[in-house]
Amino acid sequence: MKPIRISDATMKQTSEHFHLSFKEKIELSKLLSKLGLDLIELEGIQNARIDSLQIKSIASAVQDSVIAVPVELNEESVEKTWSALQIAKRPRLQVCAPASQVQIEYLYHKKPDALLEDVKNTVLACKKRCSNVEFVANDATRSEQAFLTELLGAAIGAGATTVTLCDTAGTMLPAEFAAFIRKQYETLPALKDVTLGISCANTISMADACAIAAVAEGASQIRAAAYPIDCVSLTNVARILASRSDALDASCGIAVTQLSRIVEQITRMCEPAKGISAITVEQHDTDVYLTAHDELNAILAATKKLGYDLSDDDALKVYAAFRQIADKKEKVGLKELDAIVASSAMQVPPTYKLITYVITSGNTISATAHIKLEKNGAPVEGVYMGDGSIDAAFQAIERITGCHYELDDFQLQAVTEGREAMGQTVVKLRSGGKVYAGRGISTDIVGAGIQAYLSALNKIIYEEEVE
């Protein structure tokens, strides 16, 4: 019995009627994998930072399903996409290209010969990085047969292991689509050596029937969707294959017993969200807050407003830490986000470590700080008098390290209650136009401040050394 692979395209969001948040996409990918989907298709990279983080997060969350991401017809897009996707346990790169004269002219803006060359080179570039490469021929049913055969042959010759033919218009009847699939096998024998996939739009409500007709003619991969978009219905084809596997001599690995329950969860997730508003960073700081409904781009906008320029890895760490807090409380303010960044992002090997500190202060004497640090295993120390205990401590650290940076902000928050309350301090130092934050926690306010200052200082020193 021939196994039929099912790919889900829900997260490509081909429908304009719903929008999935960053968190929802991760949860959806887990549900699809649990359902037994062979492939989960994601959107390509448009926004380098946000889309790359999304791909990395989903790739880390999914272990059993193949994660497929499309690339543009150039090596730069291949490299950028593979950089995000390579952590996936089962990655796939998709090379998508128009096959009909109409789409080539109006979407690609090049001649057919140039398209052939770009497809060949892009598939070769993908194959160098990933063994699992799929070529997707968009609008294949309206292409000229001679050109389509040449296009598919070029993709297969360059190393594509799966070829997907798309009825983008979605106007074919099942018998017509079956004849179309049969014709491709007749004109290009090499198709028998690869996996043939199909994708049908549901314009005249015939997508499901066309998919089953294609399976009867030899297709072994179906692009479907768990949520009703302009695509084959995952629920329908899974049930048809389960109940008529004997007649079709084909079956799929979808967990039909869990199908209704999981699809209901996905449907609720994909229904248009109401009453959910992302933050508007133009608001005054006191009015800005984040909630569990805010996705990654909102968090990045808020951190940018605070002055941070986070790397991809740090952004993921901050978002994960934010989610833990947001799931427990209704609102997360910018000051709390500051502390999250300080404690979660930009953690580096410390150049300076605190050994001891002694602070002398009173209402009749100037505050004095005697601080001993360790730099790369060697003790260094300094003494300084300041306007207060915190000022003296920070000035002493500057004297020891020989580094002076603008103090952008200093925050003190109580994290426990009572006479022995723990204090959390956030220190923000500015260097070269960038803000570096450090956090310290202690029952001693000065001690927490010193820890926070050293944390921020170590980040600056580490980045300067790397550069």
Side-chain angles (χ1 to χ4, degrees):
M1 190 169 289
K2 180 175 66 176
I4 305 298
R5 299 175 184 174
I6 307 293
S7 69
D8 186 276
T10 303
M11 276 189 285
K12 284 185 176 294
Q13 297 188 24
T14 53
S15 168
E16 297 179 356
H17 303 296
F18 71 97
H19 175 75
L20 296 175
S21 69
F22 187 88
K23 178 189 176 186
E24 288 168 338
K25 288 181 179 181
I26 296 176
E27 292 177 351
L28 174 57
S29 66
K30 291 179 180 178
L31 287 172
L32 293 173
S33 183
K34 185 177 181 180
L35 195 54
L37 263 295
D38 297 279
L39 296 96
I40 298 173
E41 298 190 37
L42 307 183
E43 296 170 297
I45 295 179
Q46 299 297 324
N47 183 307
R49 168 174 288 183
I50 295 175
D51 294 339
S52 294
L53 290 175
Q54 174 184 293
I55 292 170
K56 288 180 180 179
S57 299
I58 294 174
S60 299
V62 175
Q63 298 298 313
D64 299 324
S65 301
V66 173
I67 301 298
V69 182
V71 301
E72 297 176 6
L73 296 179
N74 59 73
E75 188 153 0
E76 181 183 355
S77 175
V78 174
E79 180 59 39
K80 189 187 303 180
T81 304
W82 180 242
S83 178
L85 182 62
Q86 62 184 337
I87 66 171
K89 186 176 180 180
R90 302 176 66 191
R92 171 182 287 188
L93 292 173
Q94 293 178 317
V95 179
C96 305
S100 67
Q101 189 64 42
V102 173
Q103 286 204 356
I104 293 172
E105 182 177 348
Y106 290 102
L107 297 181
Y108 189 63
H109 306 299
K110 287 187 180 182
K111 299 293 184 182
D113 288 345
L115 174 67
L116 281 170
E117 190 65 22
D118 285 350
V119 165
K120 179 181 177 181
N121 292 336
T122 305
V123 172
L124 285 171
C126 289
K127 197 68 177 179
K128 289 178 183 177
R129 297 163 174 83
C130 180
S131 60
N132 192 345
V133 179
E134 177 182 3
F135 174 66
V136 180
N138 292 320
D139 208 19
T141 54
R142 293 193 293 183
S143 65
E144 296 179 4
Q145 183 59 58
F147 177 74
L148 179 60
T149 301
E150 189 175 3
L151 181 62
L152 299 180
I156 294 171
T161 53
T162 299
V163 171
T164 296
L165 303 174
C166 302
D167 180 18
T168 306
T171 56
M172 276 194 164
L173 295 174
E176 293 174 325
F177 196 59
F180 171 75
I181 297 296
R182 190 162 54 247
K183 182 70 172 178
Q184 305 318 307
Y185 278 116
E186 292 172 357
T187 57
L188 186 62
L191 274 178
K192 295 179 181 178
D193 299 324
V194 298
T195 298
L196 177 62
I198 62 97
S199 175
C200 300
N202 200 34
T203 308
I204 60 173
S205 303
M206 284 289 173
D208 302 343
C210 285
I212 298 303
V215 168
E217 292 297 332
S220 54
Q221 180 176 301
I222 299 173
R223 175 185 285 171
Y227 183 75
I229 57 178
D230 188 20
C231 190
V232 173
S233 166
L234 172 63
T235 301
N236 290 347
V237 295
R239 286 176 174 164
I240 291 170
L241 288 171
S243 62
R244 297 308 308 273
S245 59
D246 53 343
L248 294 167
D249 192 28
S251 63
C252 67
I254 300 296
V256 179
T257 55
Q258 302 181 57
L259 189 59
S260 295
R261 179 177 57 81
I262 292 181
V263 168
E264 283 179 8
Q265 288 180 266
I266 292 172
T267 300
R268 286 196 298 270
M269 189 182 300
C270 293
E271 289 298 331
K274 296 179 180 180
I276 298 175
S277 59
I279 67 163
T280 303
V281 296
E282 288 80 10
Q283 293 174 287
H284 296 296
D285 288 0
T286 54
D287 298 328
V288 176
Y289 62 86
L290 299 135
T291 72
H293 298 300
D294 285 304
E295 52 186 296
L296 178 64
N297 58 352
I299 308 307
L300 290 178
T303 57
K304 193 168 184 178
K305 178 180 176 65
L306 292 170
Y308 299 112
D309 184 15
L310 301 179
S311 68
D312 290 351
D313 289 340
D314 284 337
L316 275 179
K317 293 175 184 176
V318 169
Y319 183 73
F322 165 79
R323 290 298 321 169
Q324 291 180 346
I325 294 176
D327 287 340
K328 297 176 182 178
K329 59 185 300 184
E330 185 177 349
K331 299 177 181 179
V332 177
L334 290 189
K335 288 187 178 294
E336 291 169 299
L337 185 61
D338 239 351
I340 291 172
V341 175
S343 60
S344 303
M346 300 178 288
Q347 300 304 314
V348 299
T351 301
Y352 290 97
K353 296 180 181 179
L354 177 65
I355 300 177
T356 61
Y357 66 92
V358 176
I359 307 296
T360 304
S361 65
N363 61 349
T364 58
I365 59 173
S366 298
T368 303
H370 179 193
I371 296 179
K372 180 180 290 187
L373 305 177
E374 181 183 287
K375 180 183 181 182
N376 299 326
V380 288
E381 58 185 305
V383 179
Y384 198 87
M385 296 176 62
D387 293 334
S389 300
I390 295 294
D391 179 64
F394 290 178
Q395 295 281 6
I397 294 173
E398 284 190 8
R399 173 163 293 188
I400 296 169
T401 62
C403 300
H404 172 76
Y405 299 103
E406 178 187 349
L407 180 62
D408 190 79
D409 194 13
F410 177 83
Q411 300 173 19
L412 176 64
Q413 301 170 346
V415 294
T416 59
E417 299 179 353
R419 300 182 67 177
E420 296 182 358
M422 293 287 288
Q424 173 178 268
T425 302
V426 175
V427 170
K428 297 168 69 175
L429 300 179
R430 185 177 293 274
S431 173
K434 292 180 63 175
V435 174
Y436 300 80
R439 185 186 73 155
I441 295 180
S442 174
T443 53
D444 178 4
I445 295 174
V446 178
I450 293 172
Q451 292 175 8
Y453 191 99
L454 288 175
S455 176
L457 176 65
N458 282 325
K459 293 171 185 177
I460 297 175
I461 294 173
Y462 178 81
E463 188 161 303
E464 288 177 347
E465 289 177 350
V466 169
E467 292 177 352

